[in-house]
Amino acid sequence: MGRARPMLVLAVGVLVIAVLYATLVPLLRPVDDVLVDFSISRRPPSLEFPFGTDSAGRDVFVRVAQGMRISLLIAATTALCSAILGVLIGVSAGAFGGWWDRIAMRLVDAVNSLPSLLLTLLIVAMYRGSVLAIVISLVLTHWTSIARVVRSEVLALRHAEFVQAAQLRGLPRWRIIRRHFVPVAMGQALIGVVLLIPHAIWHESTLSFLGVGLPPHRASLGTLLSDAQASILLGDWWLLIFPAGVLVLVTLAVSLLGRHWQQKVQVLQEVAA
Protein backbone atom coordinates (compact mmCIF):
# COMPACT_ATOMS: atom_id res chain seq x y z
CA MET A 1 0.00 0.00 0.00
CA GLY A 2 2.91 2.32 0.74
CA ARG A 3 4.29 1.86 -2.76
CA ALA A 4 0.89 2.25 -4.38
CA ARG A 5 0.27 5.66 -2.80
CA PRO A 6 3.07 7.57 -4.63
CA MET A 7 2.13 5.89 -7.91
CA LEU A 8 -1.51 6.87 -7.40
CA VAL A 9 -0.56 10.47 -6.68
CA LEU A 10 1.65 10.48 -9.77
CA ALA A 11 -1.17 9.09 -11.90
CA VAL A 12 -3.62 11.72 -10.67
CA GLY A 13 -1.03 14.44 -11.28
CA VAL A 14 -0.42 13.21 -14.83
CA LEU A 15 -4.16 13.20 -15.56
CA VAL A 16 -4.67 16.70 -14.14
CA ILE A 17 -1.78 18.08 -16.20
CA ALA A 18 -3.03 16.23 -19.29
CA VAL A 19 -6.55 17.62 -18.97
CA LEU A 20 -5.28 21.18 -18.39
CA TYR A 21 -2.88 20.81 -21.30
CA ALA A 22 -5.57 19.48 -23.65
CA THR A 23 -8.05 22.16 -22.56
CA LEU A 24 -6.00 25.34 -22.25
CA VAL A 25 -3.29 25.06 -24.91
CA PRO A 26 -5.66 24.97 -27.93
CA LEU A 27 -7.50 27.97 -26.50
CA LEU A 28 -4.39 30.03 -25.81
CA ARG A 29 -2.50 29.04 -28.97
CA PRO A 30 -5.05 28.09 -31.63
CA VAL A 31 -3.77 26.38 -34.78
CA ASP A 32 -5.74 26.08 -38.01
CA ASP A 33 -5.83 22.43 -39.12
CA VAL A 34 -5.73 23.35 -42.80
CA LEU A 35 -3.32 26.29 -42.62
CA VAL A 36 0.08 25.58 -44.23
CA ASP A 37 3.30 27.54 -43.62
CA PHE A 38 6.27 25.87 -45.30
CA SER A 39 8.65 28.56 -44.05
CA ILE A 40 8.63 26.97 -40.59
CA SER A 41 8.01 23.35 -41.58
CA ARG A 42 9.89 20.43 -40.00
CA ARG A 43 11.57 22.48 -37.29
CA PRO A 44 12.98 20.46 -34.37
CA PRO A 45 11.96 21.18 -30.76
CA SER A 46 13.01 24.63 -29.54
CA LEU A 47 11.91 27.33 -27.12
CA GLU A 48 9.53 28.72 -29.74
CA PHE A 49 8.15 25.29 -30.67
CA PRO A 50 8.62 22.89 -27.70
CA PHE A 51 7.48 19.86 -29.72
CA GLY A 52 8.76 21.14 -33.07
CA THR A 53 6.66 21.63 -36.20
CA ASP A 54 5.29 19.18 -38.76
CA SER A 55 5.72 19.11 -42.53
CA ALA A 56 2.96 21.73 -42.93
CA GLY A 57 4.54 24.13 -40.43
CA ARG A 58 1.97 23.54 -37.69
CA ASP A 59 2.99 23.65 -34.02
CA VAL A 60 3.14 20.03 -32.79
CA PHE A 61 2.82 21.18 -29.16
CA VAL A 62 -0.63 22.56 -29.95
CA ARG A 63 -1.52 19.72 -32.32
CA VAL A 64 -0.82 17.11 -29.63
CA ALA A 65 -3.05 19.04 -27.21
CA GLN A 66 -5.81 19.17 -29.82
CA GLY A 67 -5.39 15.48 -30.55
CA MET A 68 -5.45 14.50 -26.90
CA ARG A 69 -8.58 16.59 -26.35
CA ILE A 70 -10.57 14.87 -29.10
CA SER A 71 -9.20 11.44 -28.16
CA LEU A 72 -10.12 11.91 -24.49
CA LEU A 73 -13.54 13.25 -25.43
CA ILE A 74 -14.28 10.25 -27.66
CA ALA A 75 -12.93 7.82 -25.05
CA ALA A 76 -14.88 9.37 -22.16
CA THR A 77 -18.12 9.45 -24.17
CA THR A 78 -17.58 5.84 -25.25
CA ALA A 79 -16.88 4.68 -21.69
CA LEU A 80 -19.91 6.50 -20.27
CA CYS A 81 -22.33 5.23 -22.92
CA SER A 82 -20.92 1.70 -22.65
CA ALA A 83 -21.41 1.79 -18.88
CA ILE A 84 -25.01 2.98 -19.19
CA LEU A 85 -25.85 0.28 -21.73
CA GLY A 86 -24.02 -2.39 -19.75
CA VAL A 87 -25.75 -1.45 -16.47
CA LEU A 88 -29.20 -1.43 -18.09
CA ILE A 89 -28.76 -4.85 -19.65
CA GLY A 90 -26.85 -6.36 -16.70
CA VAL A 91 -29.28 -5.18 -14.01
CA SER A 92 -32.37 -6.15 -15.99
CA ALA A 93 -30.95 -9.58 -16.86
CA GLY A 94 -29.95 -10.32 -13.28
CA ALA A 95 -33.12 -8.93 -11.72
CA PHE A 96 -35.73 -10.44 -14.04
CA GLY A 97 -33.94 -13.65 -15.05
CA GLY A 98 -35.81 -16.14 -17.19
CA TRP A 99 -36.02 -15.70 -20.95
CA TRP A 100 -34.69 -12.14 -20.86
CA ASP A 101 -31.59 -13.23 -18.98
CA ARG A 102 -30.94 -16.00 -21.54
CA ILE A 103 -31.38 -13.62 -24.49
CA ALA A 104 -29.17 -10.94 -22.92
CA MET A 105 -26.35 -13.38 -22.17
CA ARG A 106 -26.51 -14.92 -25.65
CA LEU A 107 -26.23 -11.38 -27.02
CA VAL A 108 -23.19 -10.79 -24.84
CA ASP A 109 -21.63 -14.04 -26.08
CA ALA A 110 -22.37 -13.13 -29.70
CA VAL A 111 -20.72 -9.70 -29.40
CA ASN A 112 -17.72 -11.14 -27.56
CA SER A 113 -17.24 -13.79 -30.25
CA LEU A 114 -16.73 -11.12 -32.92
CA PRO A 115 -13.30 -9.48 -33.33
CA SER A 116 -13.94 -6.03 -31.86
CA LEU A 117 -11.41 -4.23 -34.05
CA LEU A 118 -12.82 -5.72 -37.26
CA LEU A 119 -16.37 -4.84 -36.22
CA THR A 120 -15.42 -1.24 -35.45
CA LEU A 121 -13.53 -1.02 -38.74
CA LEU A 122 -16.61 -2.20 -40.61
CA ILE A 123 -18.90 0.34 -38.96
CA VAL A 124 -16.51 3.29 -39.16
CA ALA A 125 -15.55 2.55 -42.79
CA MET A 126 -19.17 3.15 -43.82
CA TYR A 127 -19.16 6.61 -42.19
CA ARG A 128 -15.53 7.63 -42.56
CA GLY A 129 -14.53 10.76 -40.66
CA SER A 130 -17.60 10.76 -38.40
CA VAL A 131 -16.98 11.14 -34.66
CA LEU A 132 -20.46 9.79 -33.95
CA ALA A 133 -19.72 6.64 -35.96
CA ILE A 134 -16.52 6.09 -34.00
CA VAL A 135 -18.34 6.44 -30.67
CA ILE A 136 -21.20 4.14 -31.71
CA SER A 137 -18.83 1.48 -33.04
CA LEU A 138 -16.80 1.52 -29.82
CA VAL A 139 -19.90 1.44 -27.59
CA LEU A 140 -21.33 -1.55 -29.48
CA THR A 141 -18.14 -3.54 -28.80
CA HIS A 142 -17.30 -2.43 -25.25
CA TRP A 143 -20.50 -2.70 -23.17
CA THR A 144 -20.44 -6.47 -22.70
CA SER A 145 -17.82 -6.66 -19.95
CA ILE A 146 -19.76 -4.24 -17.73
CA ALA A 147 -23.04 -6.05 -18.40
CA ARG A 148 -21.56 -9.42 -17.43
CA VAL A 149 -20.01 -8.14 -14.19
CA VAL A 150 -23.14 -6.21 -13.18
CA ARG A 151 -25.35 -9.23 -13.87
CA SER A 152 -23.19 -11.45 -11.65
CA GLU A 153 -23.36 -8.89 -8.83
CA VAL A 154 -27.13 -8.65 -9.12
CA LEU A 155 -27.54 -12.44 -9.20
CA ALA A 156 -25.50 -12.74 -6.00
CA LEU A 157 -27.58 -10.00 -4.39
CA ARG A 158 -30.94 -11.54 -5.29
CA HIS A 159 -30.49 -14.17 -2.56
CA ALA A 160 -29.51 -11.67 0.14
CA GLU A 161 -31.75 -11.60 3.19
CA PHE A 162 -32.71 -7.93 2.88
CA VAL A 163 -33.74 -8.44 -0.76
CA GLN A 164 -35.85 -11.45 0.13
CA ALA A 165 -37.38 -9.50 3.00
CA ALA A 166 -38.29 -6.69 0.61
CA GLN A 167 -39.94 -9.21 -1.70
CA LEU A 168 -41.94 -10.72 1.19
CA ARG A 169 -43.12 -7.22 2.12
CA GLY A 170 -44.60 -6.95 -1.36
CA LEU A 171 -42.42 -4.14 -2.66
CA PRO A 172 -42.64 -3.69 -6.43
CA ARG A 173 -39.76 -5.17 -8.40
CA TRP A 174 -38.79 -1.81 -9.88
CA ARG A 175 -38.43 -0.38 -6.38
CA ILE A 176 -36.23 -3.27 -5.27
CA ILE A 177 -34.09 -2.75 -8.36
CA ARG A 178 -33.74 0.96 -7.70
CA ARG A 179 -33.03 0.66 -3.98
CA HIS A 180 -30.81 -2.46 -3.83
CA PHE A 181 -29.53 -3.44 -7.27
CA VAL A 182 -28.71 -0.09 -8.89
CA PRO A 183 -26.35 1.14 -6.11
CA VAL A 184 -24.29 -2.05 -6.45
CA ALA A 185 -24.28 -1.72 -10.22
CA MET A 186 -23.09 1.90 -10.06
CA GLY A 187 -19.88 0.90 -8.30
CA GLN A 188 -19.07 -1.59 -11.05
CA ALA A 189 -20.09 0.97 -13.66
CA LEU A 190 -17.62 3.52 -12.32
CA ILE A 191 -14.87 0.92 -12.46
CA GLY A 192 -15.87 0.06 -16.01
CA VAL A 193 -15.84 3.71 -17.10
CA VAL A 194 -12.32 4.29 -15.79
CA LEU A 195 -10.96 1.03 -17.20
CA LEU A 196 -12.62 1.53 -20.59
CA ILE A 197 -11.18 5.00 -21.17
CA PRO A 198 -7.60 3.86 -21.99
CA HIS A 199 -8.98 0.98 -24.06
CA ALA A 200 -11.17 3.37 -26.05
CA ILE A 201 -8.24 5.77 -26.54
CA TRP A 202 -6.17 2.99 -28.09
CA HIS A 203 -9.05 1.90 -30.32
CA GLU A 204 -9.75 5.44 -31.54
CA SER A 205 -6.04 6.00 -32.15
CA THR A 206 -5.86 2.73 -34.09
CA LEU A 207 -8.83 3.65 -36.28
CA SER A 208 -7.40 7.09 -37.08
CA PHE A 209 -3.94 5.61 -37.63
CA LEU A 210 -5.40 3.16 -40.17
CA GLY A 211 -7.11 6.03 -41.99
CA VAL A 212 -10.74 5.11 -41.28
CA GLY A 213 -11.24 7.27 -38.18
CA LEU A 214 -10.98 11.04 -38.15
CA PRO A 215 -9.95 12.84 -41.36
CA PRO A 216 -6.16 13.27 -41.78
CA HIS A 217 -6.21 17.06 -41.32
CA ARG A 218 -8.03 16.80 -37.96
CA ALA A 219 -5.72 16.35 -35.00
CA SER A 220 -6.08 13.22 -32.90
CA LEU A 221 -3.43 10.99 -31.40
CA GLY A 222 -4.08 8.47 -34.15
CA THR A 223 -3.80 10.92 -37.04
CA LEU A 224 -0.66 12.45 -35.54
CA LEU A 225 0.97 9.03 -35.32
CA SER A 226 -0.12 8.30 -38.88
CA ASP A 227 1.56 11.52 -40.07
CA ALA A 228 4.70 10.59 -38.13
CA GLN A 229 4.90 7.25 -39.93
CA ALA A 230 6.13 8.92 -43.11
CA SER A 231 8.06 11.75 -41.46
CA ILE A 232 10.15 9.49 -39.22
CA LEU A 233 12.04 8.24 -42.31
CA LEU A 234 13.09 11.83 -42.96
CA GLY A 235 14.56 12.18 -39.47
CA ASP A 236 11.63 14.05 -37.90
CA TRP A 237 11.74 11.97 -34.72
CA TRP A 238 9.78 14.51 -32.65
CA LEU A 239 6.62 13.86 -34.68
CA LEU A 240 6.56 10.32 -33.29
CA ILE A 241 8.07 10.71 -29.82
CA PHE A 242 5.74 13.35 -28.40
CA PRO A 243 2.32 11.99 -29.54
CA ALA A 244 3.33 8.44 -28.65
CA GLY A 245 4.71 9.54 -25.27
CA VAL A 246 1.52 11.42 -24.40
CA LEU A 247 -0.60 8.45 -25.49
CA VAL A 248 1.35 6.01 -23.31
CA LEU A 249 1.47 8.30 -20.26
CA VAL A 250 -2.25 9.10 -20.28
CA THR A 251 -3.39 5.50 -20.80
CA LEU A 252 -1.05 4.21 -18.08
CA ALA A 253 -2.24 6.87 -15.63
CA VAL A 254 -5.93 6.13 -16.29
CA SER A 255 -5.33 2.38 -16.06
CA LEU A 256 -3.54 2.76 -12.72
CA LEU A 257 -6.35 4.90 -11.36
CA GLY A 258 -8.93 2.37 -12.55
CA ARG A 259 -7.11 -0.55 -10.92
CA HIS A 260 -6.88 1.36 -7.65
CA TRP A 261 -10.60 2.16 -7.72
CA GLN A 262 -11.37 -1.49 -8.51
CA GLN A 263 -9.40 -2.65 -5.47
CA LYS A 264 -11.17 -0.10 -3.26
CA VAL A 265 -14.62 -1.26 -4.39
CA GLN A 266 -13.68 -4.91 -3.82
CA VAL A 267 -12.48 -4.13 -0.29
CA LEU A 268 -15.71 -2.25 0.49
CA GLN A 269 -17.79 -5.14 -0.84
CA GLU A 270 -15.87 -7.65 1.28
CA VAL A 271 -16.35 -5.51 4.39
CA ALA A 272 -20.07 -5.12 3.66
CA ALA A 273 -20.40 -8.90 3.17
Side-chain angles (χ1 to χ4, degrees):
M1 186 67 180
R3 293 183 178 179
R5 183 70 62 180
M7 294 299 296
L8 180 63
V9 173
L10 180 61
V12 173
V14 168
L15 289 178
V16 171
I17 294 174
V19 171
L20 292 177
Y21 169 55
T23 304
L24 298 179
V25 170
L27 296 177
L28 299 177
R29 298 179 60 180
V31 172
D32 193 342
D33 289 332
V34 297
L35 183 64
V36 176
D37 187 359
F38 292 112
S39 64
I40 56 173
S41 65
R42 299 181 55 199
R43 289 193 178 182
S46 62
L47 292 178
E48 184 179 5
F49 302 107
F51 289 180
T53 61
D54 60 11
S55 58
R58 294 170 296 195
D59 191 347
V60 178
F61 181 74
V62 181
R63 293 272 291 171
V64 171
Q66 292 174 333
M68 187 166 59
R69 180 176 60 181
I70 188 64
S71 295
L72 286 174
L73 180 61
I74 291 175
T77 304
T78 298
L80 183 61
C81 294
S82 299
I84 293 174
L85 182 60
V87 167
L88 289 176
I89 294 179
V91 169
S92 61
F96 292 101
W99 63 269
W100 170 241
D101 184 27
R102 292 191 294 271
I103 292 177
M105 290 303 100
R106 296 298 77 77
L107 180 61
V108 169
D109 294 337
V111 174
N112 287 337
S113 66
L114 298 173
S116 59
L117 182 57
L118 292 180
L119 184 58
T120 55
L121 282 173
L122 177 63
I123 297 174
V124 174
M126 294 187 294
Y127 304 96
R128 184 169 296 183
S130 172
V131 175
L132 181 60
I134 295 175
V135 172
I136 291 176
S137 66
L138 294 176
V139 170
L140 291 177
T141 56
H142 287 74
W143 62 270
T144 55
S145 58
I146 296 178
R148 189 181 292 276
V149 172
V150 168
R151 172 184 174 271
S152 64
E153 293 288 339
V154 172
L155 287 177
L157 200 63
R158 281 176 59 180
H159 303 289
E161 294 182 357
F162 57 89
V163 174
Q164 294 179 350
Q167 293 174 343
L168 292 175
R169 288 169 53 195
L171 291 179
R173 182 174 294 181
W174 66 267
R175 191 172 180 181
I176 296 175
I177 293 174
R178 186 187 65 180
R179 178 178 296 181
H180 300 297
F181 295 160
V182 172
V184 174
M186 291 306 297
Q188 297 296 333
L190 289 176
I191 296 174
V193 167
V194 178
L195 293 179
L196 279 178
I197 286 178
H199 197 61
I201 291 176
W202 281 103
H203 268 260
E204 183 279 323
S205 300
T206 302
L207 293 173
S208 298
F209 179 80
L210 294 176
V212 295
L214 296 176
H217 70 275
R218 190 169 183 180
S220 78
L221 295 179
T223 56
L224 293 176
L225 292 175
S226 180
D227 293 340
Q229 185 180 17
S231 300
I232 194 67
L233 299 177
L234 301 176
D236 301 343
W237 54 268
W238 56 90
L239 297 180
L240 175 64
I241 294 298
F242 292 113
V246 168
L247 176 62
V248 171
L249 282 177
V250 171
T251 52
L252 285 178
V254 177
S255 299
L256 182 61
L257 189 62
R259 298 298 179 186
H260 176 77
W261 176 254
Q262 187 178 30
Q263 292 174 0
K264 286 289 187 181
V265 171
Q266 290 176 350
V267 170
L268 290 176
Q269 290 177 346
E270 291 175 359
V271 172

